[in-house]
Amino acid sequence: MPQDKFDKVMILAKRRGFIFPSFEIYGGVAGFYDYGPYGSQLKNNIENLWRSYFVLKDKCLEINTPTITLYEALKASGHVDEFTDMTVDCKKCNQSYKVEDITKNNKIKCPTCGAELKDAYPVNLMFSTEIGFGKSRDAFLRPETAQGIFTDFHLLYRYAREKLPFGVVQIGRGYRNEVSPRQGVIRLREFNMAEAEVFFDPKDKSHPDFNDVKNKEIKLFDNKKEMKISLEKAVKDKLIDNQALAYYMYLTQEFLLNSGVDYKKFRFRKHADNELAHYATECWDAELFSERFGWIECVGIADRSTYDITAHIDSTGTDMYALRKYDKPKTVEVQKIVPDMGKLGPLFKDKAGEIKNILGNMDVKDSGKISVKIDNKKIDIPKDCYKIVRTKEKQAGEKFVPHVIEPSFGIDRILYCVLEHSYIETKKKGEEYHILKLNPKIAPIKV
Amino acid sequence: MPQDKFDKVMILAKRRGFIFPSFEIYGGVAGFYDYGPYGSQLKNNIENLWRSYFVLKDKCLEINTPTITLYEALKASGHVDEFTDMTVDCKKCNQSYKVEDITKNNKIKCPTCGAELKDAYPVNLMFSTEIGFGKSRDAFLRPETAQGIFTDFHLLYRYAREKLPFGVVQIGRGYRNEVSPRQGVIRLREFNMAEAEVFFDPKDKSHPDFNDVKNKEIKLFDNKKEMKISLEKAVKDKLIDNQALAYYMYLTQEFLLNSGVDYKKFRFRKHADNELAHYATECWDAELFSERFGWIECVGIADRSTYDITAHIDSTGTDMYALRKYDKPKTVEVQKIVPDMGKLGPLFKDKAGEIKNILGNMDVKDSGKISVKIDNKKIDIPKDCYKIVRTKEKQAGEKFVPHVIEPSFGIDRILYCVLEHSYIETKKKGEEYHILKLNPKIAPIKV
């Protein structure tokens, strides 16, 4: 089989110490790669360039949370139930396949041994593990760095002096136990991400720096044709829902082009409704073109709305609201729940304290049934366990759940595309040379 | 209970956005902490200061390998069998304890519920997971970053132009599924490490820069008293086995003091023989003093000798030797194994090819039984499956397994000690202030 560009880039990348297949001496395993000395420097440089846009320019806060994540957090975020691929196994050789890959090739027999396939079933794509022994806790390796940010939102909001918008970033490993990855560095089971979660008031998705860049053009693909359009016009024409999304698309374009991405092999494409992840209301992908794989999603810029913060509030009862301040404090009439521990105690035993706390912080809007969620189970609270009282309260503002705009970068895919876009074949004195012409901003060796 | 310094530092660290307990809204889980905005910046600064010593000054190569590690690699490295703690469970409440913690407190009943304990048993401290579905592969989260370097040694040796000594570093997460960690940020289940593996010719453990620093003093503790001694004298008196170890101890001392560690709360302590890890022949710890925990091991500088590379050669048959070049090539008589595929094939089926390769690369020293190791199983090869021939071979040098000197840094412990050593209580106009007086080299905010 003749070598295509992917093969050539990967051969060069291995020889020059950019990328090695992991565990090669043990036969290797799909979806894992090592960065050698040049690759590692290139990765560090790309991540630091990214920081220069998101931390220095956009003033996001950087945090660092564990990759091992409690079951409870990922149950709440929807990943335990929704982060799945339909999978099918071979009846004979027991090899597993992603249904999407099989049907794409119109193969209804096992691509490996030709035998019949069993019925398709969904598998969860998270790597699972257990924390501790005996009384152990279920956990997963994080599928995204984002949940580590969301579960700290209330602390970070205070740190940011309770002002919106503010952004928090995290750079680190993400994991996805792909069914049978066959696309080299493009579909990794362990990968490097850089994510920003920027919190906005849903009533105001303007970005403070939007005016400075509103005339800049970005390149969009509407699934039919490419167009260049100014940020301002794209938002005005409702092509892009809001300023915040548009601003981060611009920042993304700047970062990618400065990393050495070929402008001709770059575009933004909007997700169709049936493509959206379980948490997203609008999403734009920055796609980079690769000769073997076609257009590859390298960045997703999603409007996650209130999805995640609401999920964590519902599951834990923590006050993770933001405050829209009134000009001066208002006295308002509110309905409060006054729990009766004499009734709650005998009925709910060791859970009674937690239920009391959740009830005490609850907003009562109607007089219907009241229920709380503990360990992801809904528990109805009998009417004799509490009283509802009307009381006057001084309020500094209106509580609300912030919206999240999330630019999420796949560092490894970007790094590979930068290598492919920089790859040049040339001849010198009749001999063939393969060269990587990297952008000085990110090149491992700076001359 | 009155607050001790650890409590005070952790309260300040949380309030100022340095360190948060992870998953606090889900009740938290021991051994996991988040770095908030200041903590994350401080961690980045400490890691970059470390790079300035090990990558810029000592010219080590930085690489980046997965945290998920194949069972086979960690079986070979000894971690599957040796990376264990003796553990004991309660008969009633099922809580698990490290035997060491229980006996230290002279408690033979369950510290939680007071019931009797079951018999002690060893547990492996690695987090385990599975890669893929159906035909899945067993894997662990790496207990150290080092194995990712060792399994690439042959590639890195070529990259370093086959010259010793050369060093390779990795900065990243390590994991240790502690039985029941009760020491906050000091005993984490997921932690940040910076490790250097420096490869030496066992006949020459001199360091090229030793002469420049030989008069510098380091602070040693011989388990009785502290002493300051020059590097040169420490090596000459055989207090420290070799120049290489001594040089990295010096580099470590420089790095720690420049990070803001208090010199009075710093020392090197040599491991007693019964303390050594399964892979080490000599090890010095850099210990930092903490008021609650006493002297804490924050850096280990170990001579791992040939342990790891030999293990991976034995398990895979890969040529991971270094070459001690002769002045000119020599013609020497060697014994070679010539495998007979006609016999190997029917006998070993799909393993025959692998066996042929291992036999072909094998050194034959005596005429005894020949066996190979595949998937960690020893397979004896019947005598009629091969011939041994004497042949003359031109050799450029003598092959040998390099020795490894490993300075291994626990970034989180260093970061905590830096905070504790920088913590100051002061009064201003009668009010008490708690202050962190961080070294400008690593402080998150640089004035």
Side-chain angles (χ1 to χ4, degrees), chain B residues 153 157 161-164 200-205 306 319-330 395-403:
Chain B
F153 171 73
Y157 180 57
R161 295 166 195 265
E162 310 195 350
K163 277 190 188 127
L164 297 185
F200 283 86
D201 184 332
K203 289 191 177 167
D204 179 12
K205 289 189 183 171
T306 62
D319 179 354
M320 297 179 107
Y321 297 94
L323 195 72
R324 199 179 294 125
K325 277 194 186 149
Y326 301 130
D327 295 334
K328 20 178 204 194
K330 276 186 196 169
Q395 289 184 344
E398 191 186 347
K399 279 181 171 184
F400 64 95
V401 179
H403 274 209

mmCIF file of all heavy atoms in Angstrom, chain B residues 153 157 161-164 200-205 306 319-330 395-403:
data_model
loop_
_atom_site.group_PDB
_atom_site.id
_atom_site.type_symbol
_atom_site.label_atom_id
_atom_site.label_comp_id
_atom_site.label_asym_id
_atom_site.label_seq_id
_atom_site.Cartn_x
_atom_site.Cartn_y
_atom_site.Cartn_z
ATOM 1 N N PHE B 153 13.276 3.690 26.111
ATOM 2 C CA PHE B 153 14.710 3.954 26.222
ATOM 3 C C PHE B 153 15.459 3.827 24.900
ATOM 4 O O PHE B 153 16.284 4.680 24.553
ATOM 5 C CB PHE B 153 15.377 3.050 27.276
ATOM 6 C CG PHE B 153 16.870 3.172 27.232
ATOM 7 C CD1 PHE B 153 17.497 4.316 27.722
ATOM 8 C CD2 PHE B 153 17.661 2.200 26.625
ATOM 9 C CE1 PHE B 153 18.877 4.473 27.635
ATOM 10 C CE2 PHE B 153 19.044 2.348 26.536
ATOM 11 C CZ PHE B 153 19.648 3.484 27.040
ATOM 12 N N TYR B 157 17.618 6.778 23.368
ATOM 13 C CA TYR B 157 19.067 6.591 23.271
ATOM 14 C C TYR B 157 19.536 6.964 21.862
ATOM 15 O O TYR B 157 20.554 7.640 21.693
ATOM 16 C CB TYR B 157 19.393 5.133 23.585
ATOM 17 C CG TYR B 157 20.862 4.763 23.528
ATOM 18 C CD1 TYR B 157 21.802 5.437 24.304
ATOM 19 C CD2 TYR B 157 21.300 3.718 22.710
ATOM 20 C CE1 TYR B 157 23.144 5.085 24.256
ATOM 21 C CE2 TYR B 157 22.641 3.352 22.666
ATOM 22 C CZ TYR B 157 23.556 4.047 23.434
ATOM 23 O OH TYR B 157 24.887 3.702 23.384
ATOM 24 N N ARG B 161 21.837 10.490 20.311
ATOM 25 C CA ARG B 161 23.026 10.125 19.526
ATOM 26 C C ARG B 161 23.889 9.077 20.207
ATOM 27 O O ARG B 161 25.118 9.070 20.092
ATOM 28 C CB ARG B 161 23.862 11.378 19.216
ATOM 29 C CG ARG B 161 23.086 12.313 18.308
ATOM 30 C CD ARG B 161 23.685 13.684 18.243
ATOM 31 N NE ARG B 161 22.699 14.600 17.650
ATOM 32 C CZ ARG B 161 22.663 14.905 16.373
ATOM 33 N NH1 ARG B 161 23.532 14.421 15.549
ATOM 34 N NH2 ARG B 161 21.742 15.729 15.908
ATOM 35 N N GLU B 162 23.240 8.187 20.934
ATOM 36 C CA GLU B 162 23.902 7.021 21.553
ATOM 37 C C GLU B 162 25.086 7.402 22.437
ATOM 38 O O GLU B 162 26.109 6.727 22.449
ATOM 39 C CB GLU B 162 24.306 6.025 20.468
ATOM 40 C CG GLU B 162 23.113 5.725 19.543
ATOM 41 C CD GLU B 162 23.290 4.508 18.656
ATOM 42 O OE1 GLU B 162 24.403 3.996 18.602
ATOM 43 O OE2 GLU B 162 22.285 4.082 18.057
ATOM 44 N N LYS B 163 24.922 8.525 23.148
ATOM 45 C CA LYS B 163 25.981 8.938 24.082
ATOM 46 C C LYS B 163 25.443 8.989 25.502
ATOM 47 O O LYS B 163 24.373 9.535 25.746
ATOM 48 C CB LYS B 163 26.502 10.324 23.680
ATOM 49 C CG LYS B 163 27.547 10.228 22.580
ATOM 50 C CD LYS B 163 28.232 11.571 22.350
ATOM 51 C CE LYS B 163 29.105 11.489 21.125
ATOM 52 N NZ LYS B 163 28.827 12.551 20.151
ATOM 53 N N LEU B 164 26.199 8.444 26.430
ATOM 54 C CA LEU B 164 25.847 8.540 27.854
ATOM 55 C C LEU B 164 26.806 9.522 28.525
ATOM 56 O O LEU B 164 27.920 9.700 28.017
ATOM 57 C CB LEU B 164 25.971 7.167 28.515
ATOM 58 C CG LEU B 164 25.042 6.061 28.005
ATOM 59 C CD1 LEU B 164 25.214 4.813 28.860
ATOM 60 C CD2 LEU B 164 23.576 6.499 28.038
ATOM 61 N N PHE B 200 23.393 6.284 32.854
ATOM 62 C CA PHE B 200 24.847 6.316 32.988
ATOM 63 C C PHE B 200 25.453 4.976 32.589
ATOM 64 O O PHE B 200 24.819 3.921 32.734
ATOM 65 C CB PHE B 200 25.238 6.605 34.452
ATOM 66 C CG PHE B 200 25.082 8.031 34.849
ATOM 67 C CD1 PHE B 200 23.863 8.509 35.313
ATOM 68 C CD2 PHE B 200 26.147 8.918 34.738
ATOM 69 C CE1 PHE B 200 23.713 9.845 35.672
ATOM 70 C CE2 PHE B 200 25.998 10.247 35.094
ATOM 71 C CZ PHE B 200 24.781 10.712 35.567
ATOM 72 N N ASP B 201 26.690 5.023 32.136
ATOM 73 C CA ASP B 201 27.498 3.825 32.004
ATOM 74 C C ASP B 201 27.846 3.374 33.428
ATOM 75 O O ASP B 201 28.400 4.159 34.208
ATOM 76 C CB ASP B 201 28.772 4.172 31.221
ATOM 77 C CG ASP B 201 29.634 2.953 30.955
ATOM 78 O OD1 ASP B 201 29.586 1.996 31.745
ATOM 79 O OD2 ASP B 201 30.374 2.975 29.961
ATOM 80 N N PRO B 202 27.533 2.129 33.817
ATOM 81 C CA PRO B 202 27.795 1.708 35.200
ATOM 82 C C PRO B 202 29.269 1.828 35.580
ATOM 83 O O PRO B 202 29.599 1.939 36.762
ATOM 84 C CB PRO B 202 27.335 0.244 35.236
ATOM 85 C CG PRO B 202 27.028 -0.140 33.837
ATOM 86 C CD PRO B 202 26.831 1.097 33.044
ATOM 87 N N LYS B 203 30.157 1.825 34.567
ATOM 88 C CA LYS B 203 31.580 1.972 34.870
ATOM 89 C C LYS B 203 31.996 3.423 35.051
ATOM 90 O O LYS B 203 33.158 3.704 35.353
ATOM 91 C CB LYS B 203 32.411 1.360 33.735
ATOM 92 C CG LYS B 203 32.325 -0.150 33.697
ATOM 93 C CD LYS B 203 33.359 -0.720 32.745
ATOM 94 C CE LYS B 203 33.310 -2.231 32.770
ATOM 95 N NZ LYS B 203 34.071 -2.808 31.636
ATOM 96 N N ASP B 204 31.058 4.345 34.792
ATOM 97 C CA ASP B 204 31.444 5.749 34.869
ATOM 98 C C ASP B 204 30.262 6.595 35.331
ATOM 99 O O ASP B 204 29.527 7.156 34.531
ATOM 100 C CB ASP B 204 31.944 6.218 33.488
ATOM 101 C CG ASP B 204 32.333 7.691 33.514
ATOM 102 O OD1 ASP B 204 32.439 8.268 34.617
ATOM 103 O OD2 ASP B 204 32.523 8.272 32.423
ATOM 104 N N LYS B 205 30.104 6.713 36.639
ATOM 105 C CA LYS B 205 29.015 7.533 37.162
ATOM 106 C C LYS B 205 29.508 8.922 37.555
ATOM 107 O O LYS B 205 29.124 9.481 38.583
ATOM 108 C CB LYS B 205 28.331 6.829 38.339
ATOM 109 C CG LYS B 205 27.525 5.617 37.885
ATOM 110 C CD LYS B 205 26.688 5.052 38.993
ATOM 111 C CE LYS B 205 25.963 3.798 38.530
ATOM 112 N NZ LYS B 205 25.308 3.093 39.644
ATOM 113 N N THR B 306 20.482 -1.249 37.045
ATOM 114 C CA THR B 306 19.984 -1.732 35.745
ATOM 115 C C THR B 306 18.572 -2.266 35.867
ATOM 116 O O THR B 306 18.038 -2.836 34.920
ATOM 117 C CB THR B 306 20.860 -2.898 35.231
ATOM 118 O OG1 THR B 306 20.764 -3.979 36.174
ATOM 119 C CG2 THR B 306 22.314 -2.491 35.073
ATOM 120 N N ASP B 319 16.042 -4.899 21.955
ATOM 121 C CA ASP B 319 17.435 -4.482 22.133
ATOM 122 C C ASP B 319 17.455 -3.109 22.801
ATOM 123 O O ASP B 319 17.333 -2.084 22.151
ATOM 124 C CB ASP B 319 18.149 -4.439 20.785
ATOM 125 C CG ASP B 319 19.609 -3.979 20.937
ATOM 126 O OD1 ASP B 319 20.008 -3.595 22.051
ATOM 127 O OD2 ASP B 319 20.337 -4.008 19.931
ATOM 128 N N MET B 320 17.572 -3.100 24.122
ATOM 129 C CA MET B 320 17.601 -1.839 24.860
ATOM 130 C C MET B 320 18.966 -1.631 25.512
ATOM 131 O O MET B 320 19.077 -1.012 26.565
ATOM 132 C CB MET B 320 16.488 -1.822 25.911
ATOM 133 C CG MET B 320 15.106 -1.880 25.299
ATOM 134 S SD MET B 320 13.819 -1.894 26.540
ATOM 135 C CE MET B 320 13.161 -0.239 26.373
ATOM 136 N N TYR B 321 19.983 -2.161 24.863
ATOM 137 C CA TYR B 321 21.331 -2.017 25.402
ATOM 138 C C TYR B 321 21.953 -0.701 24.939
ATOM 139 O O TYR B 321 21.571 -0.149 23.909
ATOM 140 C CB TYR B 321 22.209 -3.177 24.928
ATOM 141 C CG TYR B 321 21.721 -4.512 25.420
ATOM 142 C CD1 TYR B 321 20.874 -5.292 24.624
ATOM 143 C CD2 TYR B 321 22.072 -4.976 26.682
ATOM 144 C CE1 TYR B 321 20.403 -6.512 25.080
ATOM 145 C CE2 TYR B 321 21.604 -6.205 27.139
ATOM 146 C CZ TYR B 321 20.761 -6.959 26.332
ATOM 147 O OH TYR B 321 20.284 -8.155 26.791
ATOM 148 N N ALA B 322 22.913 -0.230 25.691
ATOM 149 C CA ALA B 322 23.771 0.869 25.239
ATOM 150 C C ALA B 322 25.079 0.250 24.758
ATOM 151 O O ALA B 322 25.340 -0.943 24.984
ATOM 152 C CB ALA B 322 24.021 1.840 26.380
ATOM 153 N N LEU B 323 25.854 1.055 24.077
ATOM 154 C CA LEU B 323 27.084 0.530 23.471
ATOM 155 C C LEU B 323 28.287 1.305 24.002
ATOM 156 O O LEU B 323 28.331 2.529 23.934
ATOM 157 C CB LEU B 323 26.987 0.692 21.949
ATOM 158 C CG LEU B 323 28.002 -0.099 21.121
ATOM 159 C CD1 LEU B 323 27.680 -1.584 21.150
ATOM 160 C CD2 LEU B 323 27.993 0.408 19.675
ATOM 161 N N ARG B 324 29.261 0.548 24.568
ATOM 162 C CA ARG B 324 30.530 1.161 24.973
ATOM 163 C C ARG B 324 31.492 0.945 23.816
ATOM 164 O O ARG B 324 31.959 -0.177 23.593
ATOM 165 C CB ARG B 324 31.028 0.511 26.254
ATOM 166 C CG ARG B 324 32.065 1.323 27.017
ATOM 167 C CD ARG B 324 32.492 0.603 28.299
ATOM 168 N NE ARG B 324 31.394 0.505 29.261
ATOM 169 C CZ ARG B 324 30.964 -0.645 29.808
ATOM 170 N NH1 ARG B 324 31.509 -1.786 29.483
ATOM 171 N NH2 ARG B 324 29.955 -0.640 30.668
ATOM 172 N N LYS B 325 31.724 1.988 23.047
ATOM 173 C CA LYS B 325 32.455 1.819 21.788
ATOM 174 C C LYS B 325 33.924 1.477 21.995
ATOM 175 O O LYS B 325 34.591 2.028 22.864
ATOM 176 C CB LYS B 325 32.352 3.103 20.949
ATOM 177 C CG LYS B 325 31.066 3.151 20.159
ATOM 178 C CD LYS B 325 31.079 4.215 19.080
ATOM 179 C CE LYS B 325 29.690 4.280 18.442
ATOM 180 N NZ LYS B 325 29.348 5.604 17.977
ATOM 181 N N TYR B 326 34.428 0.546 21.186
ATOM 182 C CA TYR B 326 35.867 0.283 21.140
ATOM 183 C C TYR B 326 36.541 1.408 20.356
ATOM 184 O O TYR B 326 35.901 2.069 19.541
ATOM 185 C CB TYR B 326 36.158 -1.049 20.436
ATOM 186 C CG TYR B 326 35.513 -2.251 21.084
ATOM 187 C CD1 TYR B 326 34.774 -3.155 20.323
ATOM 188 C CD2 TYR B 326 35.653 -2.495 22.452
ATOM 189 C CE1 TYR B 326 34.183 -4.263 20.902
ATOM 190 C CE2 TYR B 326 35.061 -3.599 23.041
ATOM 191 C CZ TYR B 326 34.320 -4.478 22.256
ATOM 192 O OH TYR B 326 33.734 -5.567 22.835
ATOM 193 N N ASP B 327 37.839 1.573 20.573
ATOM 194 C CA ASP B 327 38.574 2.572 19.792
ATOM 195 C C ASP B 327 38.479 2.248 18.298
ATOM 196 O O ASP B 327 38.224 3.103 17.478
ATOM 197 C CB ASP B 327 40.031 2.642 20.242
ATOM 198 C CG ASP B 327 40.134 3.149 21.680
ATOM 199 O OD1 ASP B 327 39.194 3.871 22.099
ATOM 200 O OD2 ASP B 327 41.096 2.799 22.377
ATOM 201 N N LYS B 328 38.704 0.977 17.956
ATOM 202 C CA LYS B 328 38.335 0.538 16.610
ATOM 203 C C LYS B 328 37.556 -0.773 16.707
ATOM 204 O O LYS B 328 37.700 -1.510 17.698
ATOM 205 C CB LYS B 328 39.548 0.392 15.691
ATOM 206 C CG LYS B 328 40.906 0.258 16.350
ATOM 207 C CD LYS B 328 41.995 0.080 15.316
ATOM 208 C CE LYS B 328 43.165 -0.626 15.997
ATOM 209 N NZ LYS B 328 44.402 -0.601 15.257
ATOM 210 N N PRO B 329 36.725 -1.051 15.685
ATOM 211 C CA PRO B 329 35.899 -2.255 15.726
ATOM 212 C C PRO B 329 36.745 -3.502 15.935
ATOM 213 O O PRO B 329 37.865 -3.589 15.445
ATOM 214 C CB PRO B 329 35.231 -2.271 14.347
ATOM 215 C CG PRO B 329 35.242 -0.867 13.889
ATOM 216 C CD PRO B 329 36.491 -0.260 14.458
ATOM 217 N N LYS B 330 36.225 -4.459 16.702
ATOM 218 C CA LYS B 330 36.943 -5.706 16.947
ATOM 219 C C LYS B 330 36.206 -6.842 16.258
ATOM 220 O O LYS B 330 34.974 -6.826 16.166
ATOM 221 C CB LYS B 330 36.938 -6.014 18.447
ATOM 222 C CG LYS B 330 38.014 -5.348 19.251
ATOM 223 C CD LYS B 330 37.960 -5.860 20.692
ATOM 224 C CE LYS B 330 38.746 -4.938 21.612
ATOM 225 N NZ LYS B 330 38.497 -5.255 23.029
ATOM 226 N N GLN B 395 32.431 -6.144 15.840
ATOM 227 C CA GLN B 395 31.657 -5.415 16.834
ATOM 228 C C GLN B 395 32.245 -4.029 17.057
ATOM 229 O O GLN B 395 33.459 -3.876 17.217
ATOM 230 C CB GLN B 395 31.626 -6.196 18.151
ATOM 231 C CG GLN B 395 30.767 -7.451 18.067
ATOM 232 C CD GLN B 395 30.656 -8.166 19.395
ATOM 233 O OE1 GLN B 395 31.442 -7.912 20.309
ATOM 234 N NE2 GLN B 395 29.703 -9.070 19.494
ATOM 235 N N ALA B 396 31.353 -3.021 17.068
ATOM 236 C CA ALA B 396 31.797 -1.638 17.256
ATOM 237 C C ALA B 396 32.079 -1.341 18.721
ATOM 238 O O ALA B 396 32.779 -0.398 19.054
ATOM 239 C CB ALA B 396 30.740 -0.688 16.724
ATOM 240 N N GLY B 397 31.523 -2.168 19.591
ATOM 241 C CA GLY B 397 31.707 -1.924 21.015
ATOM 242 C C GLY B 397 31.043 -3.016 21.834
ATOM 243 O O GLY B 397 30.535 -3.994 21.286
ATOM 244 N N GLU B 398 31.044 -2.774 23.141
ATOM 245 C CA GLU B 398 30.499 -3.771 24.050
ATOM 246 C C GLU B 398 29.114 -3.307 24.486
ATOM 247 O O GLU B 398 28.929 -2.160 24.889
ATOM 248 C CB GLU B 398 31.435 -3.842 25.263
ATOM 249 C CG GLU B 398 31.199 -4.989 26.203
ATOM 250 C CD GLU B 398 32.094 -4.853 27.452
ATOM 251 O OE1 GLU B 398 33.031 -4.013 27.410
ATOM 252 O OE2 GLU B 398 31.847 -5.540 28.436
ATOM 253 N N LYS B 399 28.152 -4.211 24.410
ATOM 254 C CA LYS B 399 26.794 -3.853 24.820
ATOM 255 C C LYS B 399 26.652 -3.949 26.330
ATOM 256 O O LYS B 399 27.209 -4.856 26.957
ATOM 257 C CB LYS B 399 25.806 -4.821 24.192
ATOM 258 C CG LYS B 399 25.446 -4.529 22.753
ATOM 259 C CD LYS B 399 24.446 -5.561 22.300
ATOM 260 C CE LYS B 399 23.855 -5.225 20.956
ATOM 261 N NZ LYS B 399 22.815 -6.218 20.596
ATOM 262 N N PHE B 400 25.882 -3.039 26.902
ATOM 263 C CA PHE B 400 25.623 -3.140 28.342
ATOM 264 C C PHE B 400 24.298 -2.463 28.664
ATOM 265 O O PHE B 400 23.780 -1.673 27.865
ATOM 266 C CB PHE B 400 26.757 -2.503 29.147
ATOM 267 C CG PHE B 400 26.895 -1.013 28.926
ATOM 268 C CD1 PHE B 400 26.287 -0.108 29.795
ATOM 269 C CD2 PHE B 400 27.610 -0.525 27.846
ATOM 270 C CE1 PHE B 400 26.401 1.265 29.581
ATOM 271 C CE2 PHE B 400 27.729 0.847 27.621
ATOM 272 C CZ PHE B 400 27.124 1.742 28.485
ATOM 273 N N VAL B 401 23.775 -2.807 29.812
ATOM 274 C CA VAL B 401 22.539 -2.164 30.276
ATOM 275 C C VAL B 401 22.932 -0.947 31.103
ATOM 276 O O VAL B 401 23.687 -1.076 32.063
ATOM 277 C CB VAL B 401 21.694 -3.125 31.123
ATOM 278 C CG1 VAL B 401 20.432 -2.434 31.612
ATOM 279 C CG2 VAL B 401 21.341 -4.366 30.317
ATOM 280 N N PRO B 402 22.454 0.249 30.739
ATOM 281 C CA PRO B 402 22.837 1.437 31.494
ATOM 282 C C PRO B 402 22.249 1.448 32.903
ATOM 283 O O PRO B 402 21.243 0.790 33.157
ATOM 284 C CB PRO B 402 22.257 2.591 30.674
ATOM 285 C CG PRO B 402 21.183 1.990 29.852
ATOM 286 C CD PRO B 402 21.553 0.561 29.614
ATOM 287 N N HIS B 403 22.904 2.163 33.775
ATOM 288 C CA HIS B 403 22.350 2.410 35.110
ATOM 289 C C HIS B 403 21.501 3.677 35.082
ATOM 290 O O HIS B 403 21.730 4.565 34.269
ATOM 291 C CB HIS B 403 23.486 2.588 36.122
ATOM 292 C CG HIS B 403 23.978 1.285 36.673
ATOM 293 N ND1 HIS B 403 24.525 1.161 37.933
ATOM 294 C CD2 HIS B 403 23.991 0.044 36.137
ATOM 295 C CE1 HIS B 403 24.863 -0.093 38.144
ATOM 296 N NE2 HIS B 403 24.571 -0.804 37.077
#
